[in-house]
Amino acid sequence: DDFRSVAGDDLRSIAGDRMSCRGSVVGGDSSDVGSTETRLRSDSAEPVDHEDLLEKFRASERAKRNRRPAGLYRFRNQQIAEVIYGVVPDEQKREYHRRIAEFFEDCLCVLEGRECITHTDERRAIDTVVAALKLTTKDLHLLLADHSTKSRSLDGKAKEYSLLAARDATALGLYREAEQHYRRVVSMEQPSFVEEEVGKLSLAKAARLSAFLGLAELYARFELAPRPRDVDREQAPLGEGPIPLLTRGLEMLGVDSDELAEADFSAGCIAKNETELPNEELDLLARALNQLGWCLMRSGVALESRRRCRLTEGCFAHAVRIAKKRND
């Protein structure tokens, strides 16, 4: 902390208004200001010519500056990178994150054989970067989720790539990382939502619902205990088990869980405006119902009373009905 404080004061006094840090300062993980490999061996038998070493060092730094594109800074020392990142204005940080996200999205386009979205005239250069860094789609999903979120101006893309990053992490067995991505999607600011919109989910609501289902699957299928809820940044049912998460997700689709336990569950729609739901939302509804029924069975809740047994049966029956309807 003392180092960061002193270094921060020095940087502010030296840089002043010129501290714009044009370049890839964000994140500080690609670093190179003063990356010298000069080493002095104390056990050397020959005397060390310090003046000669200093001159070689200066020549090396001049050569590096000549090769480095203007405005690009890289840092070998992580603390220096964090200090510099800390003095960049928030608005400027968000702009850097936005531009980096746009670049990585073009990298993803190149990797997937699609046309670039932003840097349409620089495909060859982007292709070179992708090959040199050996970037994979999983790498880019993670980078895009992070930078899109930090930009504060790409909420739709932040949700989209966070969900992809969560699924990638789940496939790799990184369940806590997947949980973090899903919970970030749920906790993002949501647009206003009125009763008339039930049954016609916006993209933001669909992403949130997918995150609820993803979390429930993590907790139930892989027996992962939910991380305690951060009361300052997260709202219920985050931090709870899969059944409350699935119940909340079904409510978003206009399903009253009490109606699932009715005796005549097979004779009609279960969600409000179900007949108007597009196929993508019908898939989410069937998936949520199937998961809820499975969770009720696996937890033993289905056997606690006749009503809960009917609730479980209703979940599976409606999931099968909707799946058949979807395939017709």
Side-chain angles (χ1 to χ4, degrees):
D1 293 340
D2 292 341
F3 168 81
R4 295 183 184 183
S5 176
V6 172
D9 291 341
D10 289 345
L11 283 169
R12 290 186 184 91
S13 63
I14 292 171
D17 294 335
R18 296 182 59 194
M19 192 59 189
S20 60
C21 291
R22 296 172 310 175
S24 301
V25 166
V26 238
D29 44 9
S30 59
S31 318
D32 188 73
V33 168
S35 63
T36 177
E37 297 295 333
T38 305
R39 296 179 181 176
L40 298 177
R41 297 193 177 184
S42 58
D43 57 347
S44 175
E46 299 180 1
V48 177
D49 187 343
H50 297 286
E51 290 298 326
D52 182 56
L53 284 174
L54 183 59
E55 182 56 36
K56 287 181 179 179
F57 168 74
R58 288 171 177 166
S60 173
E61 289 301 297
R62 284 195 297 269
K64 288 179 182 179
R65 283 197 295 271
N66 290 335
R67 292 195 304 268
R68 186 183 302 130
L72 176 63
Y73 298 89
R74 303 179 65 203
F75 302 92
R76 182 173 288 282
N77 188 299
Q78 182 65 23
Q79 287 184 311
I80 292 177
E82 291 175 0
V83 168
I84 291 182
Y85 185 68
V87 298
V88 177
D90 289 342
E91 184 176 351
Q92 198 167 8
K93 286 181 191 175
R94 290 193 289 270
E95 174 62 14
Y96 288 149
H97 284 298
R98 183 189 65 79
R99 289 164 57 187
I100 291 171
E102 289 176 348
F103 173 76
F104 281 135
E105 189 165 37
D106 282 340
C107 289
L108 184 61
C109 290
V110 168
L111 203 59
E112 294 179 345
R114 297 183 284 118
E115 291 296 324
C116 292
I117 299 172
T118 306
H119 306 86
T120 55
D121 300 329
E122 301 176 18
R123 184 180 182 90
R124 178 176 291 183
I126 294 173
D127 194 24
T128 302
V129 171
V130 171
L133 297 179
K134 299 181 180 179
L135 293 172
T136 67
T137 54
K138 289 182 173 62
D139 296 330
L140 291 168
H141 290 162
L142 185 61
L143 290 165
L144 282 163
D146 182 52
H147 289 292
S148 297
T149 300
K150 291 178 179 177
S151 74
R152 302 286 183 89
S153 61
L154 301 171
D155 287 350
K157 292 185 182 298
K159 293 181 177 73
E160 174 187 354
Y161 290 115
S162 291
L163 288 174
L164 290 172
R167 290 163 191 158
D168 292 340
T170 301
L172 293 172
L174 303 174
Y175 304 135
R176 283 299 177 195
E177 184 176 317
E179 180 191 32
Q180 181 180 351
H181 289 302
Y182 282 133
R183 290 176 73 147
R184 178 164 61 184
V185 172
V186 173
S187 299
M188 286 181 186
E189 185 176 350
Q190 303 295 321
S192 59
F193 184 60
V194 296
E195 185 66 23
E196 289 75 16
E197 292 175 319
V198 172
K200 295 181 180 179
L201 289 181
S202 66
L203 291 176
K205 288 291 177 180
R208 196 174 189 217
L209 176 57
S210 295
F212 276 130
L213 298 185
L215 281 172
E217 184 176 39
L218 274 180
Y219 299 149
R221 181 179 176 186
F222 303 109
E223 300 183 355
L224 186 72
R227 177 173 53 81
R229 179 166 60 93
D230 184 339
V231 294
D232 295 327
R233 295 186 303 172
E234 297 179 327
Q235 296 181 349
L238 290 182
E240 300 182 35
I243 294 176
L245 290 167
L246 291 168
T247 301
R248 179 70 186 95
L250 288 170
E251 288 174 358
M252 293 172 61
L253 286 165
V255 176
D256 183 351
S257 58
D258 290 335
E259 294 179 7
L260 288 169
E262 296 298 324
D264 196 21
F265 56 77
S266 61
C269 300
I270 190 61
K272 299 176 182 178
N273 303 323
E274 183 184 314
T275 55
E276 301 176 12
L277 287 176
N279 288 336
E280 294 79 6
E281 292 170 27
L282 283 173
D283 289 342
L284 288 173
L285 178 57
R287 179 183 163 196
L289 288 167
N290 184 65
Q291 280 197 32
L292 180 57
W294 187 81
C295 289
L296 291 169
M297 282 289 294
R298 194 171 189 279
S299 64
V301 172
L303 305 177
E304 291 180 356
S305 66
R306 177 173 294 183
R307 184 181 180 281
R308 293 191 174 182
C309 183
R310 294 295 297 176
L311 172 62
T312 305
E313 189 178 1
C315 288
F316 287 127
H318 281 291
V320 171
R321 176 184 60 79
I322 293 169
K324 288 181 178 178
K325 175 183 177 181
R326 173 74 173 84
N327 293 326
D328 287 343

